[in-house]
Amino acid sequence: MVGLTSAVGVVGFLSEPDPELQIFALRKLNEEIDSLWTEVVGSVGEVEALYEDPKFPERELAALVAAKVYYNLQEYNESMVFALGAGKLFDLDHEGEFEDTIISKCVDTYIALSDGTPTSDTNQPPAQLNTAFPSTANGASSTSASLASPTMPFSQATLPSKSLLSRQDSSTTFDPSLQGVNTPLPGALPPSLAQQRGIQKPLQAIIDQLFERCFREKRYRQVVGIAVEARNFDVLRRAILRASEDEKRNQSKKDGLGQAEELLEYLLGICMDVVQERGLRQELLRLILGLLRDVPSPDVFSIAKCIVYLNEYLMASKLLTDLVKTGGPRRLVEAYQIAFDLYDNSSQEFLKKVREGLPKNPEPSPPQPTDTADRMDEDKAENAEETDQLLPESSEKPEAPPSSIERSTEIREDITPEAQRAFDSIRDILSGTKSIQLNLEFLYRNNHSDVAILNKLKDSLEARNSIFHTAVTLSCGFMNAGTMNANFFRDNLDWLGKAVNWSKFTATAALGVIHRGDLGNGQTLLKPYLPKDTVEGANTGSVYSQGGSLYAMGLIYANHETFALELIREHFKTATEEVVQHGGALGLGVAGMATGDEGIYEDLKGVLYTDSALNGEAVGIAMGLIMLGTGNIRALEDMIQYAHDTQHEKIVRGLGLGMALIMYGRQEGADELVNGLLEDPDPILRYGGIQTLALAYCGTGSNKAVRKLLHVAVSDVSDDVRRYAVMSLGFILFRKPKSVPRMVELLSESYNPHVRYGAAMALGISCAGTGLDEAIDLLEPMIKDPTDFVRQGALIALSMIMVQQNEAMNPKVGTIRKTLQKAIGDRHEDAMTKFGSAISLGIIDAGGRNCTISLQTQTGNLNMAGIVGMAVFTQYWYWFPLTHFLSLSFTPTSVIGLDPDLEVPNFKFHSATRPSLFDYPPEQEMKTEDAPEKVKTAVLSTTAQAKRRAQKKEKQQRRESMDIDQTPTAPKASDAGDKMETDEPAVKTEGDKEAEKSDIEKKEGEEAKETEKAEGLKKKMEKEKVGYSVENMSRVLPAQLKFISFPNGRYEPVKKATGGVILLDDTTPSAPKTLLEMKKAKKPVQAAAAPETLQDRVDSAFEQGAATRAASGAAEAAGVLTAIDEGGEGEEDADVPREFEYHSEEEHGED
């Protein structure tokens, strides 16, 4: 049947009084509306009138026609309203653009209407902070700041209305959830209008139909996504329970995971990677914990991940206890794996409380009284069975009661000897001893550091220059981080002896980087350097080596609370020299990271109030490290007050970074402090505000934080603030590294060199270890930047990106390595660029080429130590010794399999790649011209000039004695080096042309050699067989993990391999097993066995490790570093003394 060509006649029926004619017209128009809608537009009012007439029998048909008319007019909100009025005539199952558009608008409106109710008390504003920032009408901190805002050198009123800088900030916070409720999505129907039109019920009906269709088609993820955006936890719970019911009915699993488990894993991924609001994320995690009880076989590792983020240490102790008491080797291995994951992802304070919550056998002494709730919990734990739930019913509660949270009493109950051994092992794992020991063994046995690079650095850089000596020291520390290989220092004592003052401080601290994790021998190693009791007339050694030794001890025991923390604290309290206090403060901060120890904080504050500029910076940083992430209001108020009182810039800078560390990971809880600091007229405090913003929102990808940083980067009047604002983009976006090059592309071409430097470092921080081509393309032109510190930043960023990359993974790595080495040997290169090249050569081979730089853990959580280390490292701009903090970001890239007895079995796993793809890069080839040669006799310039004058005079005499003209002769080759001293234009001779020709041929030969090498590598890879076996405790790069598999054999991993320690389930435990020989692992000194006095502790540690260490080379190095410098700090080297005359008595007698 031929369709209508005109709607004029049919539209006329709409005005007829007969309802039959009106219904006929509506049906015809509904069928042909897509082609005739232009003629119906003028009569849409009549269609609406029919819909609004309660007596009209086909109101729904009239609503559908009106909806399609408005749809073609692109009035989608009106179209949605009438489509909802169409009722059953609006068919969701019909596929078409009209239906898809209306469904999309319905979902947007549903989200906008549902997003108006706060989920819980977690979204309430944080406690008020007395920041001493009196705010004025426009939010500035003072009258002077309000008149001339430091972040805006021009008035906002002069900007165009559409400028990003002129937009009115709707809130003082950075959390979108706190900007006011009922904020509609772009394009969604405003909630107020939706209420007036009365569409809530039909909208809910449509959404319910949509959800039901998704359930029928097993598309649960769509329901979960809509529910998360709408913050409708009832729908989330219904979706997961429905998936669990379908799984029970169908008994279908995908890749070993049920539908409910897969959906929970998907929801957990959304929660950790997509959701930016802290309050919503916590509510979602609590919902997941509650739902995991109803899943047939819950994923205990997902439970542990939620527990860590929520900081629920009581739940963590309960989970480990239930797994151990449930029985069975599988549950025990899972408990061990969770303990390793907790150590990798938690703070020291959290781990300490988890250890205290584990059961212990009752002691003979009467137990401390506990409340009724504690006894009930213990009775319940004693009667635990396999059918008991892994999570208590109280896990649904938002927070534990204050009394239970503040409780630190250990649980005492009767447990079996097997369970006691398991709990002891878990305590050992949670203390970090086992992980540190395994990583130390891995780095020691797989060390591939290239000493030839260090030797070339030492020979190319003049050691008498302090900056170059420090650069070589830092490079050696990074290259050998955690390997315990300090042979370079022992083999170059003459070079080491040239270290003076702060270079000696840095060299001593480098021992802490090299021996990081050597818990058993740390004190033995540092005994010659540690401060000694002052005895009158005795030589106590250099104060710089003493301060560096305390710093080194903190690095050895970094983020590991042991007796070393108390040892450093005692030295710090008794020290009187500022240098020793400086090193002690840094050591205390590193070793006591995130402990929240009030006693250490008070000790540091006491030294801070002495108002010493040298100590103040280190103490401010240490105070932040001790209170890391706690958000301690009292500490913040003390630091803010003193930052305004002191006149020393170094102290203010240290306090600014300390406040940022206290607000680590606090997100919207830090907004008040950030706003106050950014509005301060002091640029150093604004610098601290940017640091606070970066650490508070690190890894969140917060759009609000990114906009604030970009705004400050182009508006602040201080170059330092602008530089760090750009750099902070790397901290915010390191989980999305591919988005950073596009964001900083224009900033990398800024006229301001500080902004260019910040762009380079942002790329290095966010793209570390990825080898991202887009980032390298932006950094390569910056190597030739006219500003020296921009070149320095570009080289450091390139080394961070290229760490653990070989030519098979990224062909540019060879060229970048040559660029770094060329900058070292270039006589015309600036000192700052050479410094950057030197430490870059250490970074690119970090940890003996077995470490990468990672700001997140293997399981995807934030790497607290890595982020803090990177943040403090960026302050090397002001103070070189802080460069050592970068070693905290070094993460060993290994797979270490442990059996149920926590031993390292000798077995192999499979890598489905070619061996050369992830192989170590080749060591540097020593060229023949680099070999030692016989040095030619030096000729002074005055001698050469004298010879030249004599030759010229001789020629002139010869010319005068002869009456004929002589043809000019070509200059001798020996005079070629003196051409630059004449003003005459240089004339190219045949020798020069041949030399240029040979240089060109040499360059072309090198390029051909590189091409041939690349082709040879490609052919080699093509010939290699895909797939090979890898030994246990071997290097496995993050990009290689997806190719790793464990063939069906004796050992099976309890979870998907994510790198690091992997617990293995032994399928044949009765069969004999072969273990790997531990080459360097030593039993760490136990805190309980620590002697009482300071000197006894040092002597005891020395006696324990003396039998296992060759002390000769170490003693010589210690003697060099502890020698007291003759000159004072900052003095220049003395001139060589002239020869003196000696008169004998006989000569005097003759006179």
Side-chain angles (χ1 to χ4, degrees):
M1 181 178 178
V2 180
L4 295 176
T5 58
S6 176
V8 177
V10 178
V11 170
F13 289 155
L14 297 176
S15 304
E16 295 292 331
D18 188 0
E20 296 294 334
L21 293 177
Q22 293 173 340
I23 294 173
F24 171 78
L26 290 175
R27 289 175 178 172
K28 285 294 182 181
L29 292 176
N30 183 43
E31 295 173 358
E32 306 289 341
I33 193 66
D34 291 335
S35 58
L36 302 177
W37 67 271
T38 54
E39 300 180 42
V40 184
V41 169
S43 304
V44 70
E46 298 179 9
V47 179
E48 293 185 24
L50 293 177
Y51 165 67
E52 294 172 357
D53 185 2
K55 298 180 180 180
F56 186 67
E58 294 288 344
R59 293 181 59 206
E60 295 180 350
L61 181 60
L64 183 61
V65 173
K68 292 182 177 180
V69 172
Y70 281 114
Y71 166 76
N72 286 283
L73 287 172
Q74 297 185 1
E75 294 288 344
Y76 299 125
N77 285 331
E78 288 292 329
S79 178
M80 180 197 67
V81 171
F82 284 104
L84 293 175
K88 297 181 180 179
L89 295 182
F90 178 66
D91 189 6
L92 293 178
D93 297 329
H94 185 272
E95 296 183 359
E97 293 183 4
F98 169 70
E99 287 76 12
D100 292 343
T101 304
I102 298 303
I103 290 174
S104 176
K105 298 301 295 184
C106 289
V107 170
D108 290 343
T109 305
Y110 171 76
I111 292 173
L113 291 174
S114 302
D115 196 18
T117 305
T119 53
S120 72
D121 295 337
T122 57
N123 279 346
Q124 297 301 321
Q128 293 297 317
L129 172 65
N130 183 15
T131 58
F133 300 124
S135 58
T136 55
N138 62 353
S141 62
S142 64
T143 305
S144 58
S146 63
L147 294 177
S149 176
T151 58
M152 183 62 61
F154 42 83
S155 173
Q156 288 190 355
T158 62
L159 296 175
S161 59
K162 294 184 179 180
S163 171
L164 286 176
L165 303 183
S166 65
R167 292 180 182 174
Q168 199 70 19
D169 193 1
S170 60
S171 174
T172 59
T173 66
F174 297 104
D175 185 4
S177 65
L178 301 181
Q179 295 180 12
V181 297
N182 295 333
T183 302
L185 295 175
L189 189 68
S192 59
L193 184 59
Q195 294 175 1
Q196 293 177 5
R197 305 292 289 270
I199 65 170
Q200 288 92 337
K201 290 185 178 180
L203 177 63
Q204 185 64 48
I206 290 292
I207 295 298
D208 291 340
Q209 294 180 36
L210 181 63
F211 287 164
E212 192 60 34
R213 187 177 72 175
C214 292
F215 289 151
R216 290 197 307 268
E217 299 175 359
K218 304 294 188 294
R219 293 188 295 176
Y220 302 105
R221 293 191 176 190
Q222 294 185 5
V223 179
V224 168
I226 295 173
V228 169
E229 288 197 61
R231 306 190 182 198
N232 193 326
F233 295 160
D234 293 335
V235 174
L236 270 177
R237 187 178 291 104
R238 186 175 60 164
I240 295 174
L241 294 178
R242 178 71 175 267
S244 179
E245 293 174 1
D246 292 346
E247 176 188 342
K248 292 177 181 178
R249 265 196 311 268
N250 302 330
Q251 297 294 329
S252 61
K253 288 198 174 186
K254 179 181 178 183
D255 298 332
L257 291 177
Q259 292 179 346
E261 296 176 24
E262 184 183 0
L263 196 59
L264 282 171
E265 186 177 349
Y266 172 72
L267 178 58
L268 186 60
I270 290 178
C271 185
M272 303 304 294
D273 301 332
V274 179
V275 176
Q276 297 180 2
E277 304 160 29
R278 190 180 184 188
L280 176 60
R281 184 184 293 124
Q282 290 183 346
E283 286 297 313
L284 287 174
L285 289 174
R286 296 186 188 281
L287 173 66
I288 293 172
L289 285 176
L291 290 172
L292 281 170
R293 295 198 313 271
D294 300 322
V295 176
S297 55
D299 183 6
V300 291
F301 304 111
S302 297
I303 296 176
K305 194 172 184 179
C306 298
I307 287 173
V308 169
Y309 187 87
L310 293 172
N311 200 32
E312 293 285 355
Y313 53 87
L314 293 177
M315 285 188 184
S317 301
K318 177 68 175 175
L319 176 63
L320 293 172
T321 303
D322 290 345
L323 286 173
V324 171
K325 291 185 175 181
T326 298
R330 179 77 181 188
R331 287 297 192 185
L332 181 61
V333 173
E334 288 178 348
Y336 288 157
Q337 183 68 67
I338 289 175
F340 278 108
D341 292 344
L342 287 176
Y343 174 75
D344 291 337
N345 297 282
S346 308
S347 65
Q348 294 188 50
E349 183 182 13
F350 180 87
L351 295 171
K352 182 179 180 180
K353 292 177 179 178
V354 173
R355 293 197 301 270
E356 292 175 352
L358 296 176
K360 275 188 176 181
N361 279 322
E363 295 180 353
S365 58
Q368 297 180 357
T370 58
D371 55 16
T372 307
D374 292 342
R375 289 193 296 269
M376 291 175 63
D377 290 342
E378 294 174 10
D379 294 339
K380 184 177 179 181
E382 290 177 0
N383 300 325
E385 300 178 358
E386 292 188 7
T387 56
D388 290 348
Q389 298 173 350
L390 292 177
L391 284 176
E393 293 291 336
S394 60
S395 63
E396 290 184 350
K397 298 180 181 179
E399 292 183 358
S403 59
S404 63
I405 287 185
E406 296 174 359
R407 181 185 61 186
S408 60
T409 305
E410 294 181 348
I411 299 176
R412 300 285 179 177
E413 59 179 78
D414 293 328
I415 52 179
T416 62
E418 293 79 8
Q420 181 63 46
R421 286 194 296 269
F423 287 128
D424 291 341
S425 298
I426 291 175
R427 288 190 183 91
D428 190 37
I429 295 171
L430 292 175
S431 68
T433 305
K434 194 68 177 178
S435 295
I436 294 173
Q437 179 182 355
L438 293 171
N439 287 329
L440 193 70
E441 174 69 21
F442 162 73
L443 293 174
Y444 176 77
R445 68 190 299 141
N446 295 284
N447 184 16
H448 282 73
S449 59
D450 192 352
V451 71
I453 297 176
L454 292 175
N455 288 329
K456 187 172 182 180
L457 277 176
K458 174 180 66 70
D459 297 337
S460 301
L461 300 178
E462 179 56 52
R464 286 178 295 183
N465 194 331
S466 177
I467 185 175
F468 292 154
H469 195 285
T470 300
V472 179
T473 299
L474 294 170
S475 182
C476 177
F478 291 154
M479 192 176 296
N480 295 283
T483 64
M484 298 181 292
N485 180 16
N487 294 333
F488 177 78
F489 286 161
R490 299 190 183 104
D491 297 340
N492 297 278
L493 296 179
D494 293 338
W495 168 85
L496 190 62
K498 296 178 182 179
V500 294
N501 299 336
W502 289 105
S503 296
K504 184 173 294 185
F505 178 93
T506 307
T508 310
L511 296 175
V513 177
I514 295 173
H515 292 269
R516 182 189 174 193
D518 192 1
L519 305 180
N521 299 315
Q523 287 182 305
T524 305
L525 173 75
L526 296 176
K527 180 186 177 182
Y529 311 92
L530 290 171
K532 301 176 179 60
D533 297 335
T534 56
V535 180
E536 186 176 357
N539 179 14
T540 57
S542 171
V543 294
Y544 293 96
S545 63
Q546 293 176 8
S549 66
L550 295 179
Y551 186 13
M553 181 164 287
L555 291 170
I556 291 177
Y557 296 90
N559 199 21
H560 184 70
E561 186 180 7
T562 59
F563 61 90
L565 184 61
E566 287 299 323
L567 179 62
I568 301 172
R569 183 180 179 184
E570 291 180 18
H571 281 301
F572 175 76
K573 292 166 65 176
T574 58
T576 57
E577 295 287 343
E578 291 184 343
V579 178
V580 180
Q581 290 179 338
H582 183 92
L586 293 177
L588 274 176
V590 179
M593 187 185 303
T595 57
D597 193 309
E598 292 286 348
I600 298 177
Y601 171 80
E602 291 297 330
D603 294 339
L604 292 169
K605 189 171 69 171
V607 176
L608 174 70
Y609 286 166
T610 61
D611 204 41
S612 169
L614 181 61
N615 294 338
E617 185 173 18
V619 169
I621 296 173
M623 292 166 70
L625 289 171
I626 294 296
M627 295 293 177
L628 179 65
T630 60
N632 191 301
I633 298 296
R634 186 176 66 85
L636 289 172
E637 290 178 348
D638 293 341
M639 298 169 76
I640 291 170
Q641 183 63 40
Y642 197 77
H644 284 91
D645 293 342
T646 185
Q647 300 297 320
H648 296 292
E649 292 185 358
K650 290 175 69 68
I651 295 179
V652 178
R653 186 177 296 112
L655 291 173
L657 179 55
M659 288 186 285
L661 293 169
I662 292 176
M663 284 299 181
Y664 165 80
R666 306 296 294 184
Q667 295 188 26
E668 69 273 4
D671 291 343
E672 183 181 359
L673 177 62
V674 170
N675 289 329
L677 292 174
L678 289 182
E679 293 296 339
D680 196 279
D682 187 355
I684 302 179
L685 284 177
R686 298 203 303 275
Y687 185 91
I690 294 297
Q691 291 176 313
T692 306
L693 177 59
L695 291 181
Y697 287 89
C698 59
T700 62
S702 171
N703 295 328
K704 186 80 172 180
V706 170
R707 285 198 299 270
K708 188 68 174 179
L709 290 174
L710 291 175
H711 168 65
V712 175
V714 298
S715 64
D716 199 280
V717 295
S718 171
D719 286 336
D720 290 342
V721 178
R722 298 179 67 179
R723 180 183 69 248
Y724 206 84
V726 180
M727 194 187 308
S728 298
L729 293 172
F731 288 101
I732 304 294
L733 299 170
F734 67 80
R735 281 180 168 170
K736 304 174 183 177
K738 293 184 179 179
S739 63
V740 180
R742 185 175 64 255
M743 185 171 296
V744 302
E745 183 176 3
L746 293 178
L747 296 173
S748 65
E749 300 174 358
S750 171
Y751 72 94
N752 191 327
H754 292 267
V755 175
R756 298 200 299 271
Y757 173 88
M761 292 300 293
L763 290 170
I765 294 170
S766 60
C767 305
T770 62
L772 194 63
D773 291 332
E774 292 84 353
I776 296 170
D777 293 339
L778 288 179
L779 289 171
E780 283 181 330
M782 301 176 73
I783 298 176
K784 302 177 182 179
D785 194 275
T787 308
D788 52 0
F789 62 79
V790 177
R791 297 196 297 272
Q792 179 194 81
L795 293 174
I796 294 175
L798 278 172
S799 66
M800 294 166 67
I801 295 173
M802 284 298 189
V803 64
Q804 286 198 323
Q805 300 284 314
N806 57 22
E807 294 191 358
M809 300 171 64
N810 196 317
K812 293 184 179 181
V813 66
T815 306
I816 291 173
R817 285 181 178 272
K818 289 184 177 180
T819 302
L820 295 174
Q821 296 172 5
K822 182 181 177 181
I824 294 295
D826 190 351
R827 296 175 55 189
H828 305 289
E829 189 58 85
D830 293 314
M832 293 184 69
T833 308
K834 288 187 177 181
F835 177 85
S837 300
I839 64 174
S840 297
L841 286 170
I843 293 172
I844 201 170
D845 290 335
R849 298 180 175 177
N850 290 302
C851 290
T852 188
I853 297 176
S854 178
L855 302 188
Q856 55 182 338
T857 62
Q858 303 280 6
T859 55
N861 287 353
L862 296 180
N863 181 6
M864 181 187 67
I867 294 172
V868 170
M870 182 66 72
V872 182
F873 160 73
T874 57
Q875 303 308 301
Y876 82 90
W877 179 279
Y878 303 102
W879 193 235
F880 284 157
L882 298 180
T883 312
H884 285 310
F885 269 83
L886 182 62
S887 62
L888 300 181
S889 301
F890 294 166
T891 303
T893 52
S894 61
V895 168
I896 304 174
L898 296 182
D899 62 9
D901 297 327
L902 298 180
E903 296 176 329
V904 186
N906 187 3
F907 81 105
K908 296 181 179 180
F909 49 91
H910 185 73
S911 177
T913 60
R914 293 183 172 88
S916 60
L917 181 59
F918 298 105
D919 198 7
Y920 288 97
E923 293 188 0
Q924 183 182 9
E925 299 178 0
M926 292 297 295
K927 299 181 181 179
T928 55
E929 58 264 28
D930 292 341
E933 297 180 357
K934 186 177 180 181
V935 181
K936 297 181 180 180
T937 303
V939 179
L940 299 177
S941 59
T942 55
T943 305
Q945 292 176 1
K947 288 183 178 180
R948 249 190 340 268
R949 285 194 296 267
Q951 291 175 359
K952 187 176 182 181
K953 187 176 181 181
E954 184 181 354
K955 291 179 181 179
Q956 184 66 21
Q957 291 175 354
R958 233 186 284 138
R959 190 178 295 112
E960 292 176 355
S961 63
M962 299 179 65
D963 296 330
I964 60 174
D965 296 331
Q966 295 183 351
T967 57
T969 59
K972 296 181 180 180
S974 61
D975 296 334
D978 298 325
K979 289 180 180 180
M980 296 298 293
E981 299 180 6
T982 64
D983 296 330
E984 299 175 1
V987 180
K988 290 186 179 181
T989 63
E990 294 182 1
D992 294 335
K993 294 180 180 179
E994 292 179 359
E996 290 182 2
K997 186 177 180 181
S998 62
D999 291 341
I1000 295 174
E1001 291 177 353
K1002 183 179 179 181
K1003 187 175 181 180
E1004 292 177 351
E1006 290 179 356
E1007 293 177 355
K1009 186 177 180 180
E1010 290 294 330
T1011 305
E1012 183 180 354
K1013 184 178 179 180
E1015 293 177 355
L1017 179 62
K1018 186 177 180 180
K1019 292 180 180 178
K1020 178 184 176 182
M1021 290 185 61
E1022 292 176 353
K1023 293 180 181 179
E1024 286 180 341
K1025 183 181 178 182
V1026 177
Y1028 64 101
S1029 298
V1030 184
E1031 294 281 350
N1032 190 17
M1033 197 174 275
S1034 296
R1035 186 182 85 150
V1036 177
L1037 302 186
Q1040 188 180 1
L1041 287 171
K1042 57 186 177 182
F1043 302 105
I1044 295 298
S1045 62
F1046 294 78
N1048 293 331
R1050 177 173 180 176
Y1051 297 104
E1052 297 179 356
V1054 295
K1055 71 169 188 175
K1056 184 179 179 181
T1058 55
V1061 178
I1062 299 293
L1063 267 294
L1064 306 170
D1065 188 13
D1066 191 353
T1067 57
T1068 56
S1070 58
K1073 60 183 179 181
T1074 306
L1075 303 178
L1076 279 180
E1077 180 185 0
M1078 299 290 102
K1079 296 182 178 180
K1080 198 61 182 176
K1082 301 294 181 182
K1083 184 178 180 180
V1085 180
Q1086 298 295 329
E1092 295 297 330
T1093 65
L1094 172 64
Q1095 193 62 34
D1096 289 342
R1097 293 181 181 183
V1098 177
D1099 295 340
S1100 176
F1102 180 78
E1103 292 174 0
Q1104 292 177 7
T1108 61
R1109 181 173 298 274
S1112 58
E1116 293 177 3
V1120 171
L1121 287 177
T1122 56
I1124 301 178
D1125 303 326
E1126 295 181 0
E1129 181 181 354
E1131 294 183 2
E1132 298 181 356
D1133 294 339
D1135 296 331
V1136 178
R1138 62 184 178 181
E1139 296 181 359
F1140 59 90
E1141 297 178 357
Y1142 179 79
H1143 301 282
S1144 64
E1145 296 180 358
E1146 299 170 346
E1147 293 175 344
H1148 286 290
E1150 294 175 359
D1151 293 337

